[in-house]
Amino acid sequence: MLVASASDTLRELSDGQYELALGDKTGDIEVIDYGEAGLRRSARTLSGGETFQAALALALALSGAVARGLDSIFLDEGFGTLDPATLDTVAGTLERLAAGQDRLIGVVTHVPALADRVPVRFEVRRDGKGSHVRKAAIAP
């Protein structure tokens, strides 16, 4: 069930190119690549951006499975490895997920292109006296 849920999200993230499945003999996670006529292969063969999409899909599926009593999820790491098109796809997916749920989706990022799309932002600044958090003004 977890892989099926993650597969739906990955299909959306990859514009229908990829789905996830459990390997028939190994039980390992495989990817079905519709860009290659439905070829099944190890998920380990995905590129960096594709691996990030698959990991994000699995993390969101896992959070959905355990989120019955949780009202937030925070994602950290990996955004800096994405090319601009993939970053746009991931940001759009996160926006849709946040809009369609009663759950807070927080993103920890150093990538300005992603931070600019977050509707409520907190910035952490460090100086000689320590670290300081402030709510950032968001342009309309």
Side-chain angles (χ1 to χ4, degrees):
M1 181 164 166
L2 184 69
V3 174
S5 177
S7 187
D8 291 342
T9 302
L10 181 58
R11 191 176 320 109
E12 181 182 347
L13 284 170
S14 66
D15 292 325
Q17 183 172 353
Y18 299 116
E19 287 185 7
L20 295 174
L22 289 177
D24 294 332
K25 296 178 183 175
T26 64
D28 291 342
I29 295 177
E30 295 180 342
V31 64
I32 302 169
D33 186 347
Y34 292 104
E36 295 291 332
L39 174 73
R40 280 180 80 128
R41 57 188 169 96
S42 170
R44 295 178 185 162
T45 63
L46 294 170
S47 72
E50 294 161 348
T51 298
F52 180 84
Q53 289 178 325
L56 175 61
L58 285 163
L60 291 171
L62 181 60
S63 75
V66 299
R68 312 254 184 266
L70 301 175
D71 59 359
S72 61
I73 178 176
F74 287 86
L75 303 171
D76 187 9
E77 296 191 35
F79 297 107
T81 64
L82 302 178
D83 62 78
T86 303
L87 183 63
D88 185 58
T89 300
V90 168
T93 299
L94 292 174
E95 289 166 347
R96 285 189 301 280
L97 287 170
Q101 298 181 9
D102 291 330
R103 187 172 8 156
L104 169 73
I105 298 179
V107 177
V108 178
T109 185
H110 298 281
V111 179
L114 182 59
D116 290 345
R117 292 180 66 169
V118 175
V120 178
R121 215 168 47 220
F122 292 89
E123 294 178 349
V124 179
R125 301 262 186 228
R126 187 174 183 178
D127 61 23
K129 296 180 182 180
S131 297
H132 310 279
V133 179
R134 72 174 183 88
K135 186 173 180 180
I138 306 298

